[in-house]
């Protein structure tokens, strides 16, 4: 049999060139080669470590440049033997391992499946966060199930069943309109009265210094100083409100702006309690004032739980383009959490929590309010209403009881129909059905109505292992056609198969190569495949980092919630476009176009784009945009909210584009913010890490990439100089440093600027394709990419290369493999 053991003659090579840094005592980079077995077939961890050794030597990373190097003969012989041994080891592990574990539905798959069954989306906030680990949320090993979760699943299922079934009364269609001026003038006058009191307090401020009476306490202040501050605030704001009330347009509407200390002048609708299957259309009549920053021409829609004022949801944005003398009507369709007392509203664009809002930003500039951007006439909410009876998805299962049929027989038929659909690939047993019917009869004996008596047994169905797990039969290696249909639909839709896919599977045709390709293409063209695009992309590109640091909005006032959400959406739209148009994978690194909506076009300074929908926009030849490296989302992930981080950006490119992730940082490395002299450009600041011997080897790969991205500031805007500030108030010191974006990769390839760096990275599309292949395998098979998957990745690369690594070919390539079609 082929040997998976490295020849003993190479022990001397390891001892002479490697153990100085990688013995058991030193273990530099957490790599110990002294104890590494030469038998790659003894355990897969040893084989994976040898693969890392091969990669490091091939890349020229090891031995380090300042250390003795292998002779050409030694290197050739060592790499030849190691490569052959690794090939044999992969064959061995492919025959003995790499199986796909039976796994539980993750949180989002569970919610999608309930929605497909019942037509209502459950609240799954209480379930485990399946993205807590470093891998994909489809990895079976991390999708555990504990006994206490059973009750959670039963409770969630019962709530969803009640929403789907208990709809005896129809909800009529209804429209509620609120005139913007109604309440706003009264509110402003009330504030004026309050401020007038503060103003009077300010006049008596000298008295507080001399007379320790309780007058300021009687007015609700903790101290005389607080009273004086309130008075100063009153002196500043009273004239603003007086001018507001004098403007003729506020007689029939309101001006949307932020006033320091008084929040946003927006509009809220009356309270509504949303019902299942209801949609709401919010309409506003509005117009835009000229000559203000573009941000202030947008309306932000939101909802608020009136029982918990902190529970707000931002629903979206629309730009107002109509002039004051010709207002326009804007519509926005939304849903709301079922059962919550909800109020919808409109306001100016807001900033993320933890950052300063517009009122504070403008106050820091000496302006007590933001520019008036929008005039609002009225807001109305139209309830779609709904008919009486169960949701359409549930109506077939819970059909009315036929005349003359006894309740027990009816209940059994309902439970069986429901369990058969819920279990996907397994028929419920008679014994299982008997036990659930007994639950039904016990509930009826307690006086519960027929339909209510069914809720408990049906809830148990939705909390059973056969529903919660991807159950596959035993006895053969290959999946049945029905099991293949389930695996395919959860791969691309994160949901159960639809009627067409089930029909093809039940006829035994799905496993045929042509039919499988046809169905895969159909699923990819369906809107439900957006779930794959979003969830795979979010995890593949590490987008959980976006928003982890609040931005310093005094420095970057433009990066608000609208930009943050739209920049995230831009990434998804790029992936969707490359997938649908079968574009080369290289387009994700370098392209002469960009996918943007009006918000991102404004942010990037691109010619006006009308509408909130994302669309392809061609770029001029000198534009730095085009591709992931120049997107606001990727660049923001490589910053701390105040300054760009060449290290974080370099690590991201190595990990997600070049498929060469650096090892974890060694312990006891000082953070950059602990270095005394931080008043220097980021490029010089990063060099402090390279002074430590344990850091140099990795940072010579990481940092140059980050240097090439330094023309983008922390928020992704283009700059030629980096402005660094230190201190506060009058002691604040500011200096500008000319950015040097040049560098050289570890391979020796040199670049002078961002365009040069991007060209070099784009030329390494083979590395990007391998990164994608490994990620698709891990996501699609429900287990981490491992040593035994090397040949499978090579197969995907071989199949997709003729199409310039078109994304859909990776998907088709994986689905067509024996591995995907096996248990």
């Amino acid at each position: 049999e082929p040997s998976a053991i490295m020849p003993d003659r190479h022990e001397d090579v390891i001892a002479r060139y490697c153990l100085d840094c990688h013995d058991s005592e030193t273990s530099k980079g957490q790599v110990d080669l002294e104890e590494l077995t030469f038998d790659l077939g003894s355990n897969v961890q040893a084989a994976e470590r040898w693969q890392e050794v091969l990669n490091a030597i091939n890349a020229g990373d090891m031995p380090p440049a300042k250390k003795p190097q292998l002779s050409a003969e030694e290197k050739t012989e060592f790499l030849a033997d190691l490569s052959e041994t690794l090939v044999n080891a992969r064959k061995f592990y492919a025959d003995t391992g790499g199986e796909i574990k039976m796994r539980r539905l993750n949180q989002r798959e569970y919610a999608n499946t309930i929605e497909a069954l019942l037509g209502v989306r459950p609240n799954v906030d209480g379930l485990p966060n399946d993205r807590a680990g470093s891998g994909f949320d489809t990895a079976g090993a991390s999708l555990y199930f504990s006994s206490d979760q059973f009750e959670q699943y039963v409770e969630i299922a019962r709530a969803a069943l009640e929403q789907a079934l208990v709809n005896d009364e129809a909800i009529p269609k209804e429209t509620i309109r609120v005139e913007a001026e109604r309440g706003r003038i009264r509110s402003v006058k009330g504030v004026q009265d309050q401020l007038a009191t503060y103003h009077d307090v300010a006049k008596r401020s000298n008295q507080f210094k001399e007379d320790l009476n309780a007058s300021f306490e009687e007015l609700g202040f903790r101290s005389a100083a607080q009273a004086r501050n309130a008075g100063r605030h009153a002196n500043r704001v009273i004239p603003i409100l007086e001018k507001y009330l004098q403007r003729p347009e506020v007689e029939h509407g309101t001006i949307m702006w932020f006033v320091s200390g008084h929040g946003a002048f927006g509009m809220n609708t009356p309270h509504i309690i949303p019902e299942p299957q209801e949609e709401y259309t919010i309409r506003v009549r509005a117009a835009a004032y000229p000559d203000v920053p573009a941000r202030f021409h947008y309306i932000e829609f939101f909802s608020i739980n009136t029982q918990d004022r902190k529970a707000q949801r931002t629903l979206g944005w629309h730009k107002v383009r109509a002039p004051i003398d010709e207002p326009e009507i804007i519509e926005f369709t939304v849903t709301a959490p079922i059962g919550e007392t909800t109020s919808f509203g409109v306001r100016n664009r807001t900033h993320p929590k933890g950052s300063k809002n517009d009122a504070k930003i403008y106050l820091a500039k000496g302006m007590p309010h933001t520019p008036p951007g929008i005039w609002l006439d009225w807001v109305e909410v139209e309830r779609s209403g709904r008919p009486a009876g169960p949701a359409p998805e549930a109506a077939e299962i819970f059909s009315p009881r036929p005349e003359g049929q006894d309740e027990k027989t009816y209940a059994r038929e309902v439970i069986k129909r429901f369990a058969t659909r819920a279990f996907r690939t397994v028929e419920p047993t008679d014994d299982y059905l008997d036990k659930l019917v007994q639950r039904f009869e016990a509930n009826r004996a307690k006086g519960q109505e027929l339909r209510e008596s069914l809720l408990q047994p049906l809830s148990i169905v939705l909390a059973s292992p056969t529903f919660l797990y991807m159950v596959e039969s035993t006895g053969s290696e290959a999946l049945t056609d029905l099991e293949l249909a389930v695996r395919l639909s959860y791969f691309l839709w994160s949901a159960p198969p639809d009627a067409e896919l089930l029909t093809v599977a039940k006829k035994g045709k799905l496993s045929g190569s042509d039919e499988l390709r046809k169905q895969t293409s159909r699923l990819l063209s369906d809107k439900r495949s957006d779930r794959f695009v979003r969830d795979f992309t979010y995890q593949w590109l590490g987008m959980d980092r976006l928003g982890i640091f609040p931005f310093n909005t005094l420095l970057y006032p433009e990066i608000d919630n609208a930009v943050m959400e739209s920049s995230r959406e831009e990434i998804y739209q790029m992936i969707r476009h490359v997938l649908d148009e079968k574009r080369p994978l290289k387009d994700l690194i370098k392209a002469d176009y960009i996918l943007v909506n009006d918000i991102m076009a404004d942010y990037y300074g691109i010619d006006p784009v009308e509408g909130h929908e994302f669309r392809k926009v061609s770029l001029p030849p000198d534009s730095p945009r085009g591709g992931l490296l120049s997107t606001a989302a990727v660049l923001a992930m490589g910053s701390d909210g105040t300054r760009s981080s060449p290290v974080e950006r370099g690590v991201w490119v190595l990990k997600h584009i070049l498929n060469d992730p650096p090892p974890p940082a060694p312990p006891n490395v000082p953070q950059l913010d602990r270095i005394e002299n931080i008043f220097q450009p980021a490029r010089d600041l990063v060099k402090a890490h390279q002074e430590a011997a344990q850091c140099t080897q990795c940072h010579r790969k990481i940092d140059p990439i980050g240097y090439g991205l330094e023309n983008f500031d922390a928020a992704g805007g283009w700059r030629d100089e980096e402005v660094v500030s230190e201190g506060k108030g009058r002691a604040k010191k500011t200096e500008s440093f000319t950015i040097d974006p040049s560098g050289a990769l570890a391979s020796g390839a040199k670049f002078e600027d961002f365009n040069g760096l991007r060209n070099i990275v784009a030329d390494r599309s083979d590395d990007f394709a391998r990164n994608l292949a490994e990620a698709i395998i891990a996501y699609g098979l429900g287990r981490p990419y491992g040593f035994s998957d090397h040949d499978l990745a090579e197969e995907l690369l071989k199949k997709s290369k003729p199409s310039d690594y078109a994304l859909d070919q990776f998907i088709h390539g994986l689905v067509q493999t024996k591995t995907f079609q096996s248990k």
Side-chain angles (χ1 to χ4, degrees):
E1 294 183 358
S3 172
I5 301 176
M6 272 289 284
D8 291 342
R9 63 178 177 273
H10 295 302
E11 288 182 356
D12 182 56
V13 171
I14 295 295
R16 284 194 292 126
Y17 297 107
C18 305
L19 295 187
D20 185 41
C21 298
H22 300 295
D23 60 1
S24 300
E25 181 178 353
T26 308
S27 294
K28 190 172 181 180
Q30 303 177 24
V31 176
D32 177 9
L33 299 182
E34 188 173 16
E35 299 297 327
L36 183 62
T37 177
F38 272 42
D39 184 359
L40 278 64
S42 62
N43 63 81
V44 72
Q45 290 78 18
E48 289 172 340
R49 180 62 80 191
W50 278 110
Q51 181 68 56
E52 293 171 2
V53 171
L54 178 71
N55 295 342
I57 296 177
N58 273 332
D61 295 339
M62 295 293 165
K66 295 182 180 180
K67 296 287 185 177
Q69 302 294 306
L70 282 74
S71 67
E73 183 179 353
E74 287 175 322
K75 189 173 184 177
T76 300
E77 185 178 1
F78 180 83
L79 292 178
D81 285 344
L82 179 53
S83 298
E84 182 179 352
T85 306
L86 284 168
V87 169
N88 294 336
R90 281 192 287 270
K91 292 179 179 177
F92 171 78
Y93 287 113
D95 292 337
T96 60
E99 71 276 4
I100 302 172
K101 301 290 185 183
M102 186 176 78
R103 68 174 183 85
R104 171 177 61 77
L105 298 178
N106 59 37
Q107 188 185 84
R108 57 190 178 80
E109 290 169 339
Y110 172 81
N112 293 338
T113 306
I114 294 289
E115 187 174 22
L117 282 170
L118 300 175
V120 297
R121 192 160 187 86
N123 182 349
V124 295
D125 292 342
L127 294 179
N129 178 10
D130 299 318
R131 283 178 173 158
S134 58
F136 288 100
D137 66 354
T138 55
S142 63
L143 295 173
Y144 59 88
F145 182 84
S146 60
S147 57
D148 63 327
Q149 289 171 14
F150 175 78
E151 293 298 331
Q152 282 183 287
Y153 281 113
V154 170
E155 183 178 341
I156 293 171
R158 185 180 180 94
L161 284 161
E162 288 177 345
Q163 294 165 8
L165 301 179
V166 186
N167 295 324
D168 292 328
E169 296 182 5
I171 303 297
K173 186 174 181 178
E174 179 186 15
T175 300
I176 304 169
R177 177 180 290 191
V178 179
E179 298 292 340
E181 71 275 10
R182 185 179 302 172
R184 172 58 63 192
I185 294 178
R186 183 173 63 252
S187 172
V188 169
K189 289 182 176 179
V191 171
Q192 277 185 310
D193 292 340
Q194 184 185 40
L195 291 176
T197 302
Y198 293 169
H199 182 70
D200 182 58
V201 170
K203 289 182 178 179
R204 294 190 285 139
S205 61
N206 290 332
Q207 177 184 344
F208 296 140
K209 296 179 182 179
E210 302 166 0
D211 183 8
L212 298 179
N213 59 31
S215 58
F216 62 81
E217 294 176 348
E218 292 171 358
L219 292 170
F221 297 107
R222 295 189 301 272
S223 66
Q226 187 185 36
R228 287 193 294 273
N229 287 336
R232 283 192 288 269
H233 175 70
N235 290 337
R236 182 172 61 244
V237 175
I238 285 176
I240 297 172
L241 299 183
E242 288 177 346
K243 290 181 179 179
Y244 173 88
L245 293 175
Q246 292 169 4
R247 298 181 72 139
E249 66 266 36
V250 304
E251 294 182 9
H252 305 288
T254 187
I255 299 170
M256 294 178 62
W257 60 357
F258 285 99
V259 178
S260 177
H262 298 282
F265 278 37
M267 281 299 300
N268 285 46
T269 65
H271 299 172
I272 296 172
I273 301 179
E275 297 286 343
Q277 309 164 46
E278 266 203 297
E279 283 190 341
Y280 299 85
T281 300
I282 305 174
R283 297 187 186 91
V284 300
R285 185 171 185 263
Y289 290 96
D291 304 324
V292 299
R295 287 186 59 250
F296 295 104
H297 280 166
Y298 285 84
I299 285 179
E300 181 172 290
F301 295 87
F302 69 98
S303 67
I304 185 169
N305 180 349
T306 57
Q307 275 79 44
D308 180 6
R309 304 294 295 183
K310 295 181 180 179
Q312 295 191 23
R313 292 193 308 149
T314 300
L315 304 173
W317 301 267
H318 271 282
K319 190 170 187 177
V320 180
R321 301 180 182 277
I324 292 294
D325 55 349
E326 296 182 17
E328 63 180 310
I329 296 175
I330 297 171
E331 285 192 353
F332 193 79
T333 303
V334 299
T335 57
I338 299 168
E340 284 187 4
T341 304
T342 299
S343 176
F344 296 106
V346 293
R347 61 192 175 198
N348 287 107
R349 283 163 59 167
T350 57
H351 287 91
K353 291 181 179 179
S355 57
K356 295 187 183 298
N357 59 34
D358 273 305
K360 293 180 179 179
I361 293 170
Y362 273 77
L363 188 60
K365 299 177 181 179
M367 302 168 63
H369 62 83
T370 60
I374 294 172
W375 175 78
L376 188 64
D377 186 2
W378 47 256
V379 178
E380 70 178 23
V381 177
E382 180 183 294
R383 304 184 69 159
S384 66
R386 61 159 177 78
E393 290 82 354
E396 180 182 345
I397 296 174
F398 307 103
S399 56
R401 178 161 61 104
E403 185 177 351
Q405 187 180 59
D406 65 88
E407 290 185 354
K408 181 177 179 180
T409 302
Y410 171 72
R412 187 182 183 87
E413 288 182 358
V414 169
I415 295 171
K416 183 177 181 179
R417 280 199 300 269
F418 184 69
T420 300
R421 278 187 58 184
F423 291 170
R424 298 179 291 276
T425 61
V426 178
E427 291 281 339
T429 65
D430 289 336
D431 181 58
Y432 181 78
L433 294 173
D434 290 341
K435 291 177 181 178
L436 293 179
V437 171
Q438 289 172 14
R439 293 284 185 127
F440 163 78
E441 291 181 305
N443 292 334
R444 286 293 279 153
K446 294 176 184 177
Q448 294 182 7
E449 296 292 334
L450 186 147
R451 188 167 47 187
E452 184 183 5
S453 299
L454 281 167
L455 294 180
Q456 184 192 36
L458 296 179
S459 300
I460 293 173
V461 169
L462 296 180
S464 66
T466 315
F467 171 74
L468 294 175
Y469 278 79
M470 300 283 201
V471 177
E472 295 169 352
S473 59
T474 59
S476 67
E477 180 183 356
L479 295 172
T480 67
D481 277 52
L482 188 57
E483 291 165 346
L484 179 57
V486 170
R487 183 174 289 181
L488 179 63
S489 65
Y490 276 94
F491 175 33
L492 298 180
W493 286 356
S494 299
D498 65 353
E500 179 175 337
L501 190 58
L502 286 174
T503 299
V504 172
K506 289 175 180 178
K507 291 180 179 179
K509 296 182 178 180
L510 183 60
S511 53
S513 178
D514 291 343
E515 185 63 36
L516 185 56
R517 179 172 288 276
K518 174 184 174 182
Q519 290 299 321
T520 302
S521 296
R522 184 179 70 84
L523 265 62
L524 283 174
S525 64
D526 190 281
K527 183 173 177 58
R528 281 167 285 191
S529 65
D530 277 350
R531 297 167 181 167
F532 164 77
V533 170
R534 294 175 184 278
D535 293 303
F536 172 73
T537 301
Y538 180 89
Q539 299 172 82
W540 171 41
L541 299 181
M543 294 182 65
D544 54 336
R545 185 177 170 83
L546 183 60
I548 195 172
F549 294 108
F551 268 87
N552 183 338
T553 47
L554 294 178
L555 296 176
Y556 308 104
E558 299 294 320
I559 191 158
D560 56 15
N561 285 312
V563 170
M564 292 292 284
E565 186 58 35
S566 295
S567 68
R568 189 191 308 274
E569 184 67 22
E570 179 188 1
I571 304 296
Y572 302 145
Q573 294 291 334
M574 287 174 64
I575 303 295
R576 181 85 247 182
H577 175 80
V578 168
L579 173 63
D580 291 346
E581 301 299 322
K582 298 177 173 49
R583 295 293 304 168
L585 188 64
K586 186 184 290 188
D587 275 19
L588 292 178
I589 304 175
K590 181 182 179 181
D592 59 2
Y593 63 88
I594 193 170
L595 276 294
V596 291
N597 63 354
D598 48 8
I599 291 174
M600 294 311 299
D602 286 345
Y603 190 71
Y604 289 146
I606 295 173
D607 287 341
V609 170
E610 294 191 10
H612 198 63
E613 299 76 21
F614 280 77
R615 80 292 309 271
K616 179 181 176 181
V617 176
S618 298
L619 295 169
D622 60 344
S623 174
R625 306 295 173 181
L628 289 169
L629 300 185
S630 60
T631 58
V634 169
L635 294 163
M637 288 192 290
S639 79
D640 64 2
T642 297
R643 300 188 68 174
S644 59
S645 171
V647 174
E648 291 292 347
R649 289 175 174 177
V651 168
W652 190 91
V653 173
L654 285 170
K655 181 178 181 180
H656 297 288
I657 303 295
L658 300 180
N659 202 41
D660 188 17
N668 303 320
V669 175
Q671 297 295 317
L672 292 182
D673 57 8
R674 296 180 185 174
I675 299 172
E676 291 184 4
N677 181 20
I678 66 169
F679 196 66
Q680 51 186 311
R683 182 168 184 141
D684 293 343
L685 193 61
V686 168
K687 290 179 180 178
H689 273 164
Q690 299 183 37
E691 294 173 0
Q694 69 268 35
C695 302
T696 303
Q697 189 61 27
C698 289
H699 277 271
R700 76 182 184 91
K701 291 173 55 177
I702 297 170
D703 298 348
I705 297 174
Y707 299 155
L709 298 171
E710 269 298 278
N711 278 120
F712 296 101
D713 63 28
W718 184 265
R719 62 185 178 180
D720 294 313
E721 293 184 334
E722 180 184 9
V723 179
V724 181
S725 298
E726 186 178 37
K728 295 181 179 180
R730 295 181 179 179
K732 185 175 181 179
K733 179 183 176 184
T734 300
E735 188 170 342
S736 297
F737 300 94
T738 301
I739 290 173
D740 176 9
S742 64
L745 300 191
S747 63
K750 296 181 179 180
F751 56 89
E752 295 300 321
D753 53 22
F754 167 69
N755 285 328
L757 170 67
R758 184 169 55 177
N759 289 336
I760 293 172
V761 174
D763 287 341
R764 291 179 59 177
S765 58
D766 288 352
D767 296 323
F768 189 28
R770 173 167 287 280
N771 181 280
L772 174 61
E774 294 180 5
I776 286 278
I777 289 170
Y779 181 90
L781 299 185
R783 56 173 169 77
Y785 178 86
F787 175 77
S788 60
D789 294 316
H790 176 86
D791 291 343
L792 177 58
E794 288 293 326
E795 183 179 350
L796 298 190
L797 292 170
K798 182 178 179 181
K799 289 180 177 178
S800 59
K801 189 164 187 176
S803 64
D804 290 327
Y805 298 124
L807 180 53
D808 69 315
Q809 294 306 304
F810 287 85
I811 296 169
H812 282 295
L814 178 61
V815 170
Q816 292 286 334
T817 62
K818 178 182 176 182
T819 305
F820 186 85
Q821 299 175 36
S822 300
K823 298 176 179 125

